[in-house]
Amino acid sequence: MKKVSDAVIRRLPKYYRYLIELEREGVMKISSGELSEKMGLNASQIRQDFNCFGGFGQQGFGYHVEVLKNEIQSILNLDKKHNCIIVGMGNIGQALAGYANFMNEGFYIAATFDVNERLVGTTVNGCKILALDEMERFVQENVVEIGIICTPEAHAMEVVERMRRCGIRAIWNFAPIDIQLEGVTVENVHLSDSLYTLSYRLSEQKNNEE
Amino acid sequence: MKKVSDAVIRRLPKYYRYLIELEREGVMKISSGELSEKMGLNASQIRQDFNCFGGFGQQGFGYHVEVLKNEIQSILNLDKKHNCIIVGMGNIGQALAGYANFMNEGFYIAATFDVNERLVGTTVNGCKILALDEMERFVQENVVEIGIICTPEAHAMEVVERMRRCGIRAIWNFAPIDIQLEGVTVENVHLSDSLYTLSYRLSEQKNNEE
């Protein structure tokens, strides 16, 4: 596969969301111009992005919404089932375990783990919480592709190391720390970053009014 | 204030996180080169970014960590208290209400609201959940700057409209829909976008190994 730039890859989920929405609204075809207006992106950028994967559009017709959606779904690897485990079943972990939207796209929470004895053995959103010490055995006995880290910052690296040792190669990290680890693909989610951006814009708004 | 590009603004929270970390580790000063290595950014980009706000660095000395952190904190408007309300106290809403990290930076959850009668009147993480119909009165009687949307997609726009009508100008949106509304600053958070990116990288990883 040709190496595609990070910026393009990060726009793919957004295209995918908008195409699902269009499909739901019964739209059959769309031009790059219409799509650009809807998404607030530049039309030529949209065409360039899709060209990275071989085009999809027909001159004078535009894009066939369902076909394009399916193509992007396949590029994003969302047409397959992915088993995930969550470690750290505090507020965020519980919220993710209950987030049905992920299931729709093939992400299945196979098990959840915690070290807190009051949580272990309880069931959250149909997921039984297991003791963290059982993680290695569980991963050996089941195919697990994605490890989701919802522990406090202090334990995150240790858990990621343990995940790597038992063969997990993709980490979705919600602990407030940037994790980088050789041989493991990590997406670090910093919820506060967007809140801080909002806070900046709020002050910009106020300054413009003064 | 000079108009600063979106890309620069989106890097500020990351600088802020790293500077807090450096301060915690007792680091007093840092060069743009060292900072670039730590953050995986280009050193000249870092200098350019800081120049948008008037510099901060001294030739041959680098950046004073605490001073730089305080400057960015102030630019991000994090040196003031911001009252927030959450509407929609399902899993994500409850998780955000309990996310102590936001409090540290001055974001205070003044009230939470839901339409579910089983939730209204209960207390989550010290926050009492009020009936959504009380929102307008609450916002009139209290200063509320930020509205946090954690409702299902179908109700998100209606709640945002109601927030705007009672004077809220900044929205942090977790409903799976891109909200755009004249006169209101919105940060749309799509958790699934980073999961889809991770899924893409996972398939890229597998293809490279084959």
Side-chain angles (χ1 to χ4, degrees):
Chain A
M1 204 178 347
K2 208 177 68 187
K3 186 78 184 170
V4 176
S5 84
D6 191 62
V8 176
I9 293 161
R10 293 200 173 275
R11 280 192 292 271
L12 290 179
K14 189 170 177 179
Y15 290 125
Y16 185 61
R17 275 192 279 115
Y18 274 83
L19 290 164
I20 287 177
E21 185 61 31
L22 287 166
E23 198 182 27
R24 208 191 296 164
E25 290 167 2
V27 178
M28 305 273 285
K29 68 185 189 75
I30 192 161
S31 68
S32 54
E34 291 164 320
L35 195 56
S36 80
E37 201 164 308
K38 215 173 161 70
M39 295 183 63
L41 287 174
N42 188 294
S44 76
Q45 178 167 71
I46 291 180
R47 287 191 298 269
Q48 271 176 37
D49 284 355
F50 293 164
N51 278 339
C52 295
F53 302 96
F56 313 137
Q58 279 171 39
Q59 193 80 40
F61 175 87
Y63 299 101
H64 191 296
V65 170
E66 192 194 342
V67 171
L68 183 56
K69 189 213 75 180
N70 290 340
E71 288 283 354
I72 294 179
Q73 185 180 46
S74 160
I75 291 167
L76 287 173
N77 197 15
L78 299 177
D79 50 354
K80 299 180 198 75
K81 185 180 154 192
H82 301 286
N83 272 338
C84 311
I85 58 172
I86 301 176
V87 174
M89 285 298 281
N91 287 310
I92 296 278
Q94 292 189 20
L96 293 177
Y99 201 37
N101 276 13
F102 299 143
M103 297 315 174
N104 300 341
E105 297 300 340
F107 297 95
Y108 176 75
I109 308 295
T112 71
F113 301 89
D114 206 290
V115 289
N116 184 338
E117 282 172 17
R118 283 185 306 169
L119 289 174
V120 172
T122 64
T123 298
V124 174
N125 295 307
C127 270
K128 196 167 173 187
I129 303 177
L130 307 175
L132 182 56
D133 286 340
E134 298 180 52
M135 182 180 77
E136 279 80 359
R137 190 189 48 75
F138 184 89
V139 176
Q140 272 155 27
E141 290 172 6
N142 298 271
V143 177
V144 175
E145 285 193 307
I146 297 173
I148 306 176
I149 308 286
C150 300
T151 67
E153 184 179 342
H155 303 295
M157 263 321 289
E158 184 207 322
V159 173
V160 172
E161 280 285 4
R162 284 174 62 177
M163 285 180 170
R164 177 169 72 166
R165 274 201 296 273
C166 53
I168 294 177
R169 307 287 299 281
I171 302 284
W172 199 26
N173 172 42
F174 284 81
I177 174 179
D178 276 343
I179 291 176
Q180 295 172 35
L181 196 63
E182 180 84 31
V184 179
T185 301
V186 185
E187 275 291 314
N188 295 298
V189 180
H190 293 285
L191 291 179
S192 52
D193 282 11
S194 61
L195 182 60
Y196 295 173
T197 304
L198 188 65
S199 167
Y200 174 87
R201 300 246 180 254
L202 196 57
S203 83
E204 200 181 36
Q205 209 179 54
K206 280 184 193 165
N207 285 327
N208 287 339
E209 286 163 4
E210 273 163 15
Chain B
M1 201 176 352
K2 206 178 70 187
K3 185 80 183 168
V4 176
S5 84
D6 190 62
V8 176
I9 293 161
R10 294 202 172 273
R11 280 192 290 273
L12 289 179
K14 188 169 176 178
Y15 290 125
Y16 185 59
R17 275 192 279 114
Y18 274 84
L19 289 164
I20 287 178
E21 184 62 32
L22 287 166
E23 197 182 29
R24 207 190 298 163
E25 290 167 4
V27 178
M28 305 272 286
K29 69 185 190 73
I30 191 161
S31 68
S32 52
E34 291 164 320
L35 195 57
S36 79
E37 201 164 311
K38 215 173 160 68
M39 294 183 62
L41 288 173
N42 188 294
S44 77
Q45 178 167 70
I46 292 179
R47 286 191 298 269
Q48 271 177 38
D49 285 354
F50 293 163
N51 279 339
C52 294
F53 303 95
F56 313 136
Q58 279 170 39
Q59 194 80 42
F61 174 86
Y63 298 101
H64 192 295
V65 170
E66 191 193 342
V67 172
L68 183 55
K69 189 213 73 177
N70 290 340
E71 288 284 354
I72 294 180
Q73 184 180 47
S74 161
I75 291 167
L76 287 173
N77 197 17
L78 299 177
D79 50 355
K80 299 179 199 75
K81 185 180 154 191
H82 302 286
N83 273 339
C84 311
I85 58 172
I86 301 177
V87 174
M89 285 298 280
N91 287 310
I92 296 279
Q94 292 189 20
L96 292 176
Y99 202 39
N101 276 12
F102 299 143
M103 306 298 185
N104 300 341
E105 298 301 340
F107 298 95
Y108 176 74
I109 307 297
T112 71
F113 301 90
D114 205 290
V115 290
N116 184 338
E117 282 173 18
R118 281 185 307 169
L119 288 175
V120 172
T122 64
T123 297
V124 173
N125 294 308
C127 270
K128 197 170 174 185
I129 302 178
L130 307 175
L132 183 56
D133 286 339
E134 299 180 52
M135 183 180 77
E136 279 79 0
R137 189 190 49 73
F138 184 90
V139 176
Q140 273 155 26
E141 291 172 6
N142 299 272
V143 176
V144 176
E145 285 193 307
I146 297 174
I148 306 176
I149 308 285
C150 300
T151 67
E153 183 179 341
H155 303 295
M157 263 322 288
E158 184 207 322
V159 173
V160 172
E161 279 286 4
R162 285 174 62 177
M163 284 179 171
R164 177 170 71 166
R165 275 200 296 274
C166 54
I168 294 177
R169 307 287 301 280
I171 302 284
W172 199 27
N173 171 43
F174 285 81
I177 176 178
D178 275 344
I179 292 175
Q180 296 171 37
L181 197 63
E182 181 83 32
V184 180
T185 300
V186 185
E187 275 292 312
N188 295 297
V189 180
H190 293 284
L191 292 180
S192 52
D193 281 11
S194 62
L195 183 59
Y196 296 173
T197 305
L198 188 64
S199 167
Y200 175 87
R201 299 245 180 257
L202 196 56
S203 81
E204 200 181 36
Q205 207 177 55
K206 280 183 193 167
N207 286 327
N208 288 340
E209 285 164 3
E210 275 163 14

